[in-house]
Every structure is written in structure tokens, then in C-alpha cells.
Amino acid sequence: MIFFLIGCSILLALLFLAAFFWASKTGQHDDTYTPSVRILFDDELIVTDTEKPLERPSVKRDEDHI
């Protein structure tokens, strides 16, 4: 029974090792810096000619009522 478990664990380890080499070969680990800082950058807002920028509503203050 123990030899079966050892054989299964070695087979599983070889499968994970093959998956790692396949991922490295296909470029999975090429850029490790960009994904970690991508969340820090704001998305660019694209405004077309048909869209108007939003105007802030005028706020009346106490000085305006005098």
C-alpha cells in the first residue's frame, strides 16, 4: 500500500513539474511586474464629441440671498 502512495505522489509531482515547464515555455511568467501595479493606475476616460462633460450644479450659499 505504501509503495502505491509513493508512486502516486511521484507521478503527481512530475505532472506539476511538467505543467510548470509548459507554462514557462509558453510565456506565462514573462511579465511579473505589470499585473501587480495595474490596479494602481486609473482607467483613462475617453470623451467623444457627442458627449458633454458633466456640469456641477450651482450651490446657493447664504451670501447669495442677501
Side-chain angles (χ1 to χ4, degrees):
M1 180 69 176
I2 190 73
F3 295 113
F4 175 73
L5 293 176
I6 291 173
C8 287
S9 65
I10 290 174
L11 181 65
L12 186 63
L14 289 174
L15 286 173
F16 280 116
L17 186 65
F20 173 75
F21 283 130
W22 173 76
S24 295
K25 180 182 169 189
T26 58
Q28 183 73 24
H29 306 294
D30 284 349
D31 186 14
T32 58
Y33 179 72
T34 302
S36 63
V37 297
R38 186 178 297 151
I39 192 68
L40 300 176
F41 299 123
D42 290 333
D43 293 335
E44 292 182 18
L45 180 62
I46 300 172
V47 178
T48 60
D49 294 337
T50 59
E51 296 177 350
K52 293 181 181 178
L54 295 175
E55 295 181 12
R56 299 177 88 186
S58 61
V59 178
K60 299 213 178 223
R61 293 175 280 173
D62 288 338
E63 297 91 28
D64 295 337
H65 295 291
I66 298 177

